[in-house]
Amino acid sequence: MSKTIAILPGDGIGPEIVVEAVKVLERLQQTHGLAVELRHGLVGGSAIDACGTPLPDETMALAQASDAILLGAVGGHKWESLPIEQRPEKGLLGLRSGLGLFANLRPALLYPELVEASTLKPEVVSGLDIMIVRELTGGIYFGQPRGIRTLDNGERQGFNTLVYSESEIERIARVAFETARKRSRRLCSVDKANVLECTELWREVVTRVGRDYPDVELSHMYVDNAAMQLVRAPKQFDVIVTTNMFGDILSDCAAMLTGSIGMLASAALDADNKGMYEPIHGSAPDIAGQGIANPIATILSVAMLLRYSLAEDALAEQVEQAVRRVLAQGLRTADIHSPGTTRVSTTQMGDAIVAAL
Ligand code: NAD
């Protein structure tokens, strides 16, 4: 039976890169027997412009009815002065929480061809392959109460709440242990248990869940040390599991170890492996419309979609190999271009990957 993929291009470079990822899906439909129906929807700033809200009901209904969602990116200067509740990013957060996408898988993989693109020394990063499992629907980004209030003395005070229940910690811990089992069976849980009670509980629950996975070596690290270790000796990590905010920050740091934010995909999964797939970067308003954005992160998001939500592991592998072949041919978008390689546009990169398929 045909599966449905919701295509939500979003804003900025989102539509430019998603077009290239859709070409890949269409090629798989035409020549590799992939049975999927692609249905487009609006989210973010483009949805605000068309419908007055970053997450129209039709988009939520489409996402709920689909087996997987491919998203470009949301946001841009045009909508930055709107109240926080009406901004494009609320569309993304609404999809994540509305669909219960609590597990964010963010691989940071360094391709041998791009070792020079990293700001770290080649010997520190070559062969880097880390998977960060970030909790995505809880923690301080969603905790109540939150806001900005005025105190009796007239001074304003901003406040947010860091909150995790045992069940929230347990389910993300299980995803992380299962992920570690499919890799090299090493899991590092990152918290701030020395200062925050909430993450003291995090450490306790992760340790308890770990008893069900005796074959996985579990370690714990404070977040400040983890940030330092990521840039000092990143290859010590295999799978990292952490809270929403720590994961947000650490995964961007890990991303930069690989040279370009334009190369990295991500998945946000629910308990049944329905997922939303997107590049880890934003809408890059500074380069939108110039035809120079790197579409590889979005195309690799398609590979993750095939693997995790459609169980099409062989097709996922073929997409990843096509990306590797094109990099080996020396084709590079501007963000990863270096002397001796051939600079190509967004469309040319997409076409080359489709051809390599
Ligand atoms: P960004 O990731 O959009 O851009 C950071 C830098 O990386 C920019 O210089 C940009 O040109 C470059 N870059 C990003 N993607 C690239 C690609 N595919 N190819 C080449 N270069 C690329 O982050 P930002 O500038 O902090 O945010 C811009 C907007 O995106 C903001 O409105 C922000 O809220 C939004 N944002 C959205 C998401 C999302 O949709 N998931 C994530 C992060 C930021």
Side-chain angles (χ1 to χ4, degrees):
M1 203 178 65
S2 171
K3 303 254 172 120
T4 304
I5 303 176
I7 307 286
L8 309 179
D11 312 315
I13 61 168
E16 299 168 45
I17 52 181
V18 166
V19 158
E20 303 309 317
V22 167
K23 279 188 203 164
V24 168
L25 281 165
E26 287 171 347
R27 169 53 65 97
L28 296 176
Q29 282 176 314
Q30 288 153 12
T31 57
H32 295 65
L34 178 67
V36 289
E37 186 192 345
L38 308 181
R39 295 177 58 196
H40 282 70
L42 291 172
V43 70
S46 55
I48 294 172
D49 289 352
C51 317
T53 165
L55 183 55
D57 291 344
E58 308 86 79
T59 302
M60 194 61 195
L62 170 63
Q64 279 165 337
S66 301
D67 299 284
I69 300 136
L70 180 68
L71 186 131
V74 298
H77 306 309
K78 183 176 173 190
W79 305 282
E80 270 164 15
S81 56
L82 288 173
I84 215 162
E85 279 306 312
Q86 295 164 27
R87 285 194 203 151
E89 290 75 9
K90 276 287 161 192
L92 198 57
L93 295 180
L95 280 169
R96 287 175 184 165
S97 59
L99 298 173
L101 305 174
F102 68 90
N104 189 198
L105 305 192
R106 294 185 48 158
L109 180 73
L110 181 65
Y111 289 85
E113 292 83 5
L114 299 184
V115 83
E116 295 299 333
S118 175
T119 47
L120 296 193
K121 295 189 191 105
E123 62 268 28
V124 176
V125 286
S126 69
L128 184 82
D129 182 1
I130 298 175
M131 177 70 86
I132 296 188
V133 180
R134 165 190 170 196
E135 201 290 327
L136 201 58
T137 52
I140 198 164
Y141 290 178
F142 292 93
Q144 295 287 347
R146 61 189 296 157
I148 300 173
R149 61 191 161 206
T150 304
L151 302 175
D152 290 346
N153 66 2
E155 188 187 7
R156 291 193 308 151
Q157 183 185 58
F159 58 101
N160 291 87
T161 305
L162 172 60
V163 57
Y164 272 115
S165 61
E166 286 182 290
S167 56
E168 282 177 301
I169 303 168
E170 176 162 345
R171 67 180 182 177
I172 191 72
R174 290 201 181 279
V175 171
F177 278 107
E178 293 292 342
T179 306
R181 262 193 178 157
K182 292 184 198 124
R183 295 170 52 104
S184 71
R185 294 174 187 261
R186 284 186 298 118
L187 175 63
C188 179
S189 173
V190 172
D191 59 41
K192 191 72 182 166
N194 51 342
V195 177
L196 301 170
E197 289 83 352
C198 181
T199 67
E200 194 183 333
L201 180 68
W202 175 281
R203 186 176 285 218
E204 188 189 309
V205 173
V206 172
T207 305
R208 189 175 74 215
V209 173
R211 294 194 195 109
D212 294 340
Y213 298 86
D215 51 320
V216 176
E217 183 191 317
L218 173 66
S219 59
H220 302 274
M221 197 179 277
Y222 296 137
V223 63
D224 42 346
N225 187 25
M228 191 177 79
Q229 296 300 332
L230 265 178
V231 289
R232 191 187 73 85
K235 284 188 277 183
Q236 69 184 282
F237 296 108
D238 181 35
V239 181
I240 293 175
V241 61
T242 190
T243 63
N244 201 344
M245 183 164 72
F246 294 164
D248 191 4
I249 299 165
L250 292 181
S251 56
D252 267 21
C253 176
M256 271 328 287
L257 301 177
T258 71
S260 172
I261 200 164
M263 293 292 299
L264 296 178
S266 76
L269 306 175
D270 74 1
D272 301 315
N273 284 342
K274 172 173 172 153
M276 183 159 81
Y277 300 83
E278 51 176 320
I280 69 153
H281 58 71
S283 57
D286 53 332
I287 58 165
Q290 297 176 30
I292 59 171
N294 187 345
I296 293 181
T298 317
I299 291 171
L300 291 173
S301 300
V302 167
M304 289 188 89
L305 183 156
L306 292 165
R307 180 170 288 121
Y308 291 104
S309 287
L310 303 191
E312 294 278 4
D313 289 41
L315 292 185
E317 182 63 30
Q318 288 192 43
V319 172
E320 287 161 356
Q321 271 175 16
V323 169
R324 268 184 234 124
R325 270 204 293 280
V326 166
L327 291 174
Q329 286 163 16
L331 303 190
R332 304 279 189 275
T333 42
D335 55 313
I336 51 174
H337 181 249
S338 59
T341 60
T342 308
R343 186 170 162 164
V344 294
S345 67
T346 309
T347 310
Q348 287 168 325
M349 180 57 91
D351 289 344
I353 293 168
V354 169
L357 270 171

